[in-house]
Amino acid sequence: MSLHSARGLHDDGCFQDVLVAVGLAKDGAPRKTGSGTPMRGLRRIKTSGPQTHKLPFGVMWSITLVTAVTMAVINFFTIWIISFAVEWKFSTLQLMVDKFGVWFAILGFTGICSCLALCCTLFIFTCAPAAGGSGAPENKGFLNGNEMPELFTLQNLVGRAIATMLANVTGYPVGREGPTVTMGSNLAYLITHVAALPFVRQWVDVDAPGSATSAATMIDEDRFEHAKRIVCTVGGACGMAMLFDSPIGGIVYMFEEITSSSWPVEVTFRAFAGTSVCALVSRALLNMCGTSTKAFVIYEWNPQPTGWSWHDVPFFMLLALLMGPFSAFHTRACLAVASVRQTLMQRLSAYQPYNKMADAVLYGGLVALTYSLVALLANCKHTAQDAAQFVRYDCEEGKYNPVASLLLTTSEGAVKRLFSRHDANEIHFRNELLAFVSYTALNIGLTGVPVPSGNFTGSMLIGGLVGRMMGALVRDYGPGMAVSGVYAMVGSASMLAGFKQMAVAVVVFITGAANDLGLIPPLMLAVTLSLLLNKLINERGFDEEQILRKAIPFLPPEPPRLMDRVVALDLRDDLPPEAALQPEADYNAIQLALQQDKVDCFPVLKDGYCIGFTTRARLQAALEVWQASGFINTGSINTGAPHKKAVSDAGGEQMGKLISATVARESSFSGNVLPVKRLTERAPYTILEDMPGPRLYALFAKAGAKAACVISEKGEFRGMISRRGLIATARRYEEAADQAQYDDTVGDDDEEQSLVIPA
């Protein structure tokens, strides 16, 4: 909970009156006649559980629909800007080839892409530093139930949108999926913060002697955060839905991304409605401009009645058996490149941020140069179909360059050509191999470059190239009947399933792109085999590894196996004695507590029993008010180390300062102690000291608890377990399990040793 003083809130009081008048809010406290603030409020805050928001029906649905429509509008402008800029870039390349020759055109094209990369990096490092990545791991950490300060801001939303467009126009081997999902969550977060804030506040009596009023407002942060996470999930689903024109795919993607433990029941229908509205509005906007959604998404217009036969199934299985291990080693290669790049940037840290900017610009030029040179190795082919589907590049009129048609275009355009069932003889094995080697190498090498990037489409393209090559071999030497495009779809599904460690969402997206429900059985078979082999090699997917390496707070849905033999007493936070406060604490005691940088939730004890928790933001704000009032002579008190800056939800810290100001004013009248109990959430979660670790783990992973008291059988305080501390403990167990394979047959003599984890 966070409180703020009733002083200075006359405007908010008037706004509350309007909401009451229209029936969107209830008048929760008696008011003084002619005043915008109540003289007295509730004697005690009314709180709800961490998994409920209890917002009005109309408010939550308004937020959902506004988020969906706004995401459709953002997508409309994004795809038009990207398509226009990409068309200009490649038409300029073709014009230079025709007028000045291919070598001059390569130099000019490389220069154009380098300039675009420079614009992208300049914008990121000057306007939106947090946009230099997909934001997917951080978004996943927030949706998991953890605080991510400064993640969802208006600056990051606008910055990530512009940087994503610039990165795609530059030609980096990336997609828009990861950044777009993060943008959807960011947008939903901002809308919810504005629209839901009036409904999670209530007037509470704080009994401040000497004050003009004794009422203050309190924010139920559990309700507020729960509402935000619900709509942020819907926003992310809308992002994926409009990219693939697949509302169901967007819902399933987010479900697999955040797992069932972070998926409230009401999200399903809310996401169902939101993604459908987003897809319809997006389609309507494009139809008004004389085009179609299918022109901008991966979609096969002309499916065949019978796309595959039983003779193809063994080759589908072989393809999946190849792509499973390949996707695992591709993930490891990406992570290794990221580690090498991070080490190199640390050695050049004296030149920050110019070293990272130079890295991004040079890599953008390298990508353009590599694509242009590799395309020269292709043999020109006569155009047998619509010439607009292929790129001529250095070929004469009436011919096309197969490699340029895969590399000198967008990732979505290349995947479309691979999925097509009517160009089986248009690209050929050698050209597909050239494109595969160059694109895969550059895709791996991109990891760690500070530009917004999504690997969804990139993984589809890599798998599609492998599948296309196998389809060509089967067509020429085997008994299979399926065309190369079908093999490309199976390869894409196998690669994507392994890289993302997803199953259902991959099948939904590929089936929608194929426009053929008959492909569901072979796709499911291929995904199953690929994912099983991938998990045998890599325990975690790419995003999960990024979460661990970036130390992003994330609580897995299931406890580590090494936690099976521990009890609550073993999982307690390392709580310094100074962090435990009394119901009424003096200035020095609070200051000593705030010096404990690893503690954010402070237990409040009375006679050895825990009566609740308070937060760092509230205590810090109270001390600031004390110092500003001059009531406490801080010069005579040992301040010690500087306090850690409190991090909280947007708006929550300011609310905490204002409530603490009210309570601190009371202290200035009553003595040198602060009534900490008034800043405390009462009736905390309690855990018996001998409760098994897996049982209490569910309280945090599935019930959303932030902190709990560990007590003896008599109720005496034995310590506390916080969500932050449990995440750190679970991560240590995972690291210990990675270093040595856990043996289920550990004997009793070795049991104690099996519980030892690194500090």
Side-chain angles (χ1 to χ4, degrees):
M1 304 302 157
S2 293
L3 297 175
H4 68 85
S5 169
R7 292 179 179 269
L9 290 179
H10 297 281
D11 294 337
D12 286 348
C14 294
F15 179 61
Q16 183 75 3
D17 289 337
V18 174
L19 295 174
V20 173
V22 298
L24 293 178
K26 295 181 180 180
D27 191 4
R31 294 177 177 269
K32 179 182 177 181
T33 305
S35 174
T37 60
M39 287 298 296
R40 301 193 64 83
L42 301 173
R43 288 296 302 171
R44 189 172 181 177
I45 179 67
K46 293 182 178 179
T47 60
S48 302
Q51 296 291 335
T52 181
H53 58 79
K54 293 186 177 179
L55 292 178
F57 177 88
V59 172
M60 283 297 288
W61 276 107
S62 298
I63 296 172
T64 301
L65 297 179
V66 170
T67 299
V69 173
T70 308
M71 281 300 295
V73 174
I74 292 175
N75 179 65
F76 172 76
F77 286 106
T78 300
I79 59 179
W80 273 112
I81 292 173
I82 292 177
S83 61
F84 174 80
V86 168
E87 182 180 357
W88 169 83
K89 185 179 73 171
F90 288 121
S91 62
T92 301
L93 170 63
Q94 190 63 57
L95 181 64
M96 288 189 293
V97 170
D98 295 338
K99 286 191 174 183
F100 305 106
V102 65
W103 294 108
F104 180 87
I106 290 176
L107 292 177
F109 181 68
T110 303
I112 291 174
C113 293
S114 298
C115 290
L116 290 170
L118 178 62
C119 294
C120 181
T121 54
L122 280 175
F123 176 80
I124 289 174
F125 283 98
T126 57
C127 300
S134 69
E138 293 81 2
N139 186 32
K140 195 168 182 177
F142 172 77
L143 295 177
N144 181 250
N146 308 295
E147 290 185 356
M148 299 297 298
E150 304 302 324
L151 174 62
F152 294 139
T153 64
L154 182 60
Q155 179 184 4
N156 287 345
L157 174 62
V158 177
R160 183 166 277 114
I162 297 176
T164 300
M165 290 187 285
L166 289 172
N168 279 265
V169 172
T170 298
Y172 290 112
V174 299
R176 292 195 293 131
E177 302 78 22
T180 302
V181 171
T182 304
M183 287 165 53
S185 296
N186 194 339
L187 176 67
Y189 182 96
L190 296 176
I191 295 175
T192 307
H193 186 80
V194 173
L197 182 60
F199 299 93
V200 294
R201 295 189 299 203
Q202 52 187 287
W203 293 104
V204 180
D205 187 6
V206 294
D207 290 335
S211 299
T213 177
S214 62
T217 58
M218 178 178 288
I219 289 188
D220 192 337
E221 289 179 347
D222 285 339
R223 291 175 55 201
F224 205 18
E225 292 177 4
H226 185 62
K228 288 179 178 178
R229 290 190 172 94
I230 287 176
V231 188
C232 284
T233 303
V234 176
C238 289
M240 287 300 291
M242 64 189 185
L243 287 179
F244 290 89
D245 194 29
S246 175
I248 300 298
I251 298 172
V252 177
Y253 172 87
M254 290 303 295
F255 180 80
E256 291 195 82
E257 184 77 357
I258 68 176
T259 72
S260 60
S261 63
S262 302
W263 188 273
V265 176
E266 70 172 282
V267 171
T268 304
F269 181 57
R270 202 173 295 282
F272 183 88
T275 53
S276 61
V277 169
C278 182
L280 289 173
V281 173
S282 181
R283 178 171 298 196
L285 291 173
L286 292 172
N287 289 344
M288 290 172 57
C289 297
T291 184
S292 169
T293 306
K294 301 304 181 185
F296 298 94
V297 299
I298 302 171
Y299 186 75
E300 169 59 28
W301 287 96
N302 302 302
Q304 294 179 338
T306 304
W308 57 279
S309 69
W310 286 106
H311 296 288
D312 295 298
V313 173
F315 298 102
F316 291 159
M317 296 175 64
L318 177 61
L319 179 58
L321 294 175
L322 291 174
M323 296 309 299
F326 178 80
S327 63
F329 291 116
H330 176 271
T331 300
R332 293 194 175 191
C334 289
L335 295 171
V337 169
S339 297
V340 172
R341 178 171 272 115
Q342 183 179 12
T343 302
L344 180 60
M345 291 298 108
Q346 288 176 350
R347 292 180 179 178
L348 300 175
S349 58
Y351 304 97
Q352 292 276 19
Y354 304 107
N355 55 343
K356 294 184 178 180
M357 295 174 64
D359 181 27
V361 173
L362 291 176
Y363 203 84
L366 176 64
V367 170
L369 181 62
T370 303
Y371 286 170
S372 303
L373 292 177
V374 172
L376 295 178
L377 301 177
N379 296 322
C380 296
K381 304 292 182 181
H382 287 281
T383 304
Q385 296 190 32
D386 185 7
Q389 294 182 1
F390 300 96
V391 178
R392 184 163 62 86
Y393 191 43
D394 62 328
C395 301
E396 60 187 26
E397 291 288 346
K399 294 184 178 181
Y400 68 94
N401 186 310
V403 176
S405 299
L406 294 174
L407 297 180
L408 295 177
T409 183
T410 62
S411 299
E412 291 81 3
V415 175
K416 280 185 179 182
R417 293 182 178 93
L418 294 176
F419 282 10
S420 175
R421 307 185 196 186
H422 300 277
D423 60 357
N425 299 312
E426 304 298 330
I427 301 180
H428 303 289
F429 180 90
R430 176 175 177 272
N431 300 317
E432 292 158 352
L433 180 61
L434 289 172
F436 167 75
V437 172
S438 57
Y439 186 89
T440 303
L442 291 172
N443 179 267
I444 293 173
L446 180 68
T447 312
V449 176
V451 294
S453 58
N455 256 326
F456 206 90
T457 306
S459 299
M460 290 176 64
L461 179 54
I462 293 172
L465 287 167
V466 176
R468 187 87 181 197
M469 287 188 286
M470 176 167 282
L473 293 176
V474 173
R475 181 188 66 237
D476 295 337
Y477 305 105
M481 296 180 59
V483 297
S484 300
V486 174
Y487 279 89
M489 298 174 193
V490 175
S492 288
S494 302
M495 177 68 189
L496 188 57
F499 184 80
K500 295 290 293 184
Q501 291 200 348
M502 287 184 174
V504 183
V506 172
V507 174
V508 173
F509 283 131
I510 302 296
T511 303
N515 192 19
D516 186 359
L517 295 179
L519 286 178
I520 292 180
L523 289 177
M524 293 179 66
L525 175 63
V527 165
T528 300
L529 294 176
S530 176
L531 192 52
L532 283 174
L533 291 177
N534 182 282
K535 283 182 172 291
L536 289 176
I537 301 173
N538 289 346
E539 182 181 355
R540 292 174 287 270
F542 181 76
D543 288 341
E544 287 72 22
E545 285 290 346
Q546 289 283 77
I547 288 174
L548 290 178
R549 295 182 179 222
K550 293 182 178 181
I552 296 172
F554 183 86
L555 191 64
E558 298 296 333
R561 294 180 60 188
L562 288 175
M563 197 178 284
D564 291 347
R565 302 188 179 191
V566 299
V567 295
L569 207 59
D570 304 315
L571 298 174
R572 293 174 298 172
D573 292 6
D574 185 12
L575 187 68
E578 297 81 3
L581 297 172
Q582 296 297 317
E584 294 183 348
D586 61 24
Y587 182 94
N588 194 41
I590 296 175
Q591 193 172 52
L592 289 175
L594 290 175
Q595 291 175 12
Q596 314 308 314
D597 292 343
K598 296 183 179 180
V599 181
D600 288 323
C601 289
F602 299 88
V604 180
L605 308 181
K606 182 178 181 180
D607 299 329
Y609 298 90
C610 181
I611 63 172
F613 292 95
T614 188
T615 63
R616 176 175 294 274
R618 303 171 200 164
L619 295 176
Q620 275 187 344
L623 293 191
E624 291 175 5
V625 173
W626 264 0
Q627 294 172 0
S629 66
F631 184 77
I632 296 296
N633 183 12
T634 58
S636 61
I637 299 177
N638 181 20
T639 57
H643 298 156
K644 170 188 172 184
K645 182 179 180 181
V647 294
S648 61
D649 201 13
E653 182 177 356
Q654 182 64 22
M655 297 298 180
K657 289 182 178 181
L658 292 172
I659 164 51
S660 299
T662 298
V663 181
R665 278 196 298 272
E666 176 181 346
S667 301
S668 66
F669 286 99
S670 58
N672 291 342
V673 295
L674 175 73
V676 179
K677 59 185 179 182
R678 301 203 176 189
L679 304 176
T680 301
E681 289 188 32
R682 309 299 293 271
Y685 291 106
T686 55
I687 298 173
L688 288 175
E689 57 186 351
D690 58 350
M691 179 181 288
R695 180 173 296 180
L696 70 86
Y697 190 90
L699 179 66
F700 293 86
K702 299 181 180 180
K706 295 295 180 64
C709 295
V710 179
I711 61 174
S712 65
E713 293 183 356
K714 297 181 179 180
E716 299 168 334
F717 182 74
R718 289 286 186 264
M720 64 172 284
I721 300 176
S722 66
R723 184 180 183 89
R724 174 181 173 179
L726 188 61
I727 289 174
T729 303
R731 192 157 292 177
R732 291 198 298 269
Y733 276 116
E734 290 178 350
E735 292 172 354
D738 290 342
Q739 294 174 0
Q741 184 68 29
Y742 182 69
D743 187 4
D744 286 328
T745 61
V746 175
D748 294 337
D749 295 337
D750 299 329
E751 181 175 352
E752 182 177 353
Q753 180 64 27
S754 71
L755 299 180
V756 177
I757 59 175

